[in-house]
Amino acid sequence: MSIAQLDELDRQLIEALARDARVSNRKIALDLGVTEGTVRGRIKRLQQDGLISFTAITSFGLADSARMAFIGVEVNVSDVRGVAERIAELPAVNAVMITMGRFNILAICLFNSLDNLLELASNQILSMPGVHHVETSIAVKTVKYNARVVRITAADRARIETLDDDA
C-alpha cells in the first residue's frame, strides 16, 4: 500500500496514535465513530504494510552520548551503497542516508566527547576504501526535532511480523 491509498479514517487513526500510542483501541473507535474491530484491523494492516510501527522514543538526556553530529561523506559513486552499509554497522552511528548534493552520504551520530567524534569521522569512516572526504557538523542547539516520522525498514517489518506471530 502506498501513502496515496490511505483513506481519511487511516489518516485520523494515525494522527490519534501519533498523539498517544498508548491510547486504547476502544477509545480511538469511540472518538472516530467506528467499531473497535475496525480500529484493530486497520492498525494491523498499517503495521504489516510498513506504514506505522510502535517504539519508545528516548530523550537525548538518556543517551550515553548527548551531543549530535552530522558527518557528510564524499565517496566514489560506485562505492556509495557499500560504504553506506559499512557506516551503518558502526555502533556510534544512529542514521545513514544516501544523499544528492555536496555529499553522497550523511551519517548522524550522538557523541560525548570530541575525541569520540574524531575517532569515528577520521579514523573509522575516512579510512574506508572509496571515501575521499569527511566533514563534520556539530549541532549546538536543536530548534526542532520530530522523531515521529521515521523510515520503517524491512527489518522493522520482519520484527513486527514476529511479534504478531508470538501474540
Side-chain angles (χ1 to χ4, degrees):
M1 172 191 280
S2 69
I3 297 295
Q5 294 175 315
L6 294 177
D7 65 15
E8 186 57 29
L9 182 57
D10 288 329
R11 292 178 200 287
Q12 291 174 342
L13 175 60
I14 291 168
E15 183 57 35
L17 291 169
R19 280 192 305 273
D20 180 4
R22 298 183 317 156
V23 66
S24 71
N25 290 351
R26 180 175 296 177
K27 170 79 169 109
I28 294 171
L30 183 64
D31 291 348
L32 299 181
V34 296
T35 68
E36 186 177 352
T38 297
V39 169
R40 188 173 41 257
R42 295 245 183 164
I43 290 173
K44 184 172 183 160
R45 179 180 48 81
L46 291 167
Q47 285 180 294
Q48 288 172 339
D49 290 347
L51 297 173
I52 65 171
S53 180
F54 297 96
T55 187
I57 299 172
T58 57
S59 164
F60 286 144
L62 291 177
D64 292 335
S65 310
R67 297 174 69 193
M68 181 183 286
F70 302 89
I71 304 172
V73 184
E74 287 181 14
V75 181
N76 293 334
V77 174
S78 60
D79 295 325
V80 170
R81 171 75 65 192
V83 170
E85 289 172 357
R86 285 194 297 281
I87 292 171
E89 292 173 1
L90 298 172
V93 175
N94 297 86
V96 177
M97 284 85 49
I98 294 173
T99 61
M100 293 172 42
R102 181 172 178 181
F103 301 105
N104 308 83
I105 299 169
L106 178 66
I108 302 173
C109 67
L110 296 177
F111 67 99
N112 55 12
S113 77
L114 290 176
D115 288 338
N116 295 126
L117 181 59
L118 178 65
E119 166 65 24
L120 175 64
S122 295
N123 297 342
Q124 294 180 34
I125 296 175
L126 186 58
S127 67
M128 291 180 179
V131 174
H132 297 292
H133 178 72
V134 172
E135 188 173 308
T136 60
S137 296
I138 298 171
V140 294
K141 182 170 180 69
T142 302
V143 177
K144 179 180 180 179
Y145 178 76
N146 182 356
R148 285 180 39 192
V149 179
V150 297
R151 183 172 190 272
I152 300 173
T153 66
D156 295 322
R157 284 191 291 274
R159 183 183 49 79
I160 291 166
E161 290 169 5
T162 301
L163 292 174
D164 284 345
D165 291 343
D166 292 343

